[in-house]
Amino acid sequence: MLTDAQWKLYDEQGYLFLGKVADAVHLQKLQDRIDDIMLGKVRYPSMYFQLDSATGEYKDVPGGGEWSGATLDYRKIELLEMDPYFLEYIQNPLFRAITSKVYGENVAIYRAMFMNKPAHKGTVLPYHQDGGGIWGLDRNPLMTVWTALNDATRENGCMQVVPGSHKLGLLSEYGHVISQEHEQHYAPEEKSVYLEAKCGEAILLHNWLLHRSGVNHTSEPRRAFTVCYMDGETRSVREGHQFPRVFGEGALSAGATAG
Ligand SMILES: O=C(O)CCC(=O)C(=O)O
């Protein structure tokens, strides 16, 4: 569980380092499994894959879809809750304790996603907030747990955040990437911090915290697993459906999802 002091720090800065949550064996399983998924050795037909952009620019990121061949150059893979090793991590008791404080017993996920900056590549992810109309939900998700699957450094494109910026609320109703004016005003370089993280370290993020990440200038990939936790009752405003429950009534179980 988090201490009162940790909750206070999280409330103030909008993020909190949680330390290494998975043990070394489990972490290795996640690292191996993501390679196997990218290389097509383990297949989940409905998983979502998006390749990295060729230019490093966000506007050039290709549309995603099905697995499109064996390569380590995927930028994003979603629906990782289908995999038992990733689901086990998502359902770690620490994350249950943290999310229940904010949402109660029933907790769903909006997405469980691999974010990759391949060696000497990667795409700039501009300053954004994770919420607003673009997400198409009847209530805003508030918490994300981002976990480094290898060391994240300034050189390989670690996240950069503006501490306390979650208190601004959503800067636009539509959400996601903020305007250039807002970036100049709210996210100048001198206000930002680089969230360098050791392999296995998890960081709790408030979804409204301004965050971005750059390209990878090194010969190793920068890999992370990021899970957005939300109220279990959340519905899509367009289709009306609910989302995969990970805690509480009707929660996924690893046995039921292993493919
Ligand atoms: O891993 C990154 O570079 C960005 C992750 C992110 O934006 C998120 O987890 O919401």
Side-chain angles (χ1 to χ4, degrees), residues 58 125-129 131 134 172 174-180 183:
Y58 190 61
L125 179 57
Y127 266 114
H128 65 283
Q129 296 176 302
I134 189 176
S172 81
Y174 188 62
H176 208 58
V177 176
I178 63 170
S179 67
Q180 285 205 328
E183 180 165 337

Side-chain angles (χ1 to χ4, degrees), residues 189-203:
E189 181 68 19
E190 66 271 16
K191 281 196 183 170
S192 77
V193 300
Y194 288 84
L195 297 188
E196 294 198 312
K198 288 280 169 216
C199 179
E201 252 187 311
I203 307 174

Side-chain angles (χ1 to χ4, degrees), residues 102-140:
V102 171
Y103 302 125
E105 271 308 293
N106 293 331
V107 177
I109 52 169
Y110 179 74
R111 64 185 181 195
M113 174 169 86
F114 173 60
M115 279 297 274
N116 184 26
K117 313 251 182 206
H120 295 299
K121 284 167 71 89
T123 299
V124 171
L125 179 57
Y127 266 114
H128 65 283
Q129 296 176 302
D130 288 328
I134 189 176
W135 284 43
L137 301 174
D138 66 357
R139 66 202 82 185
N140 276 308

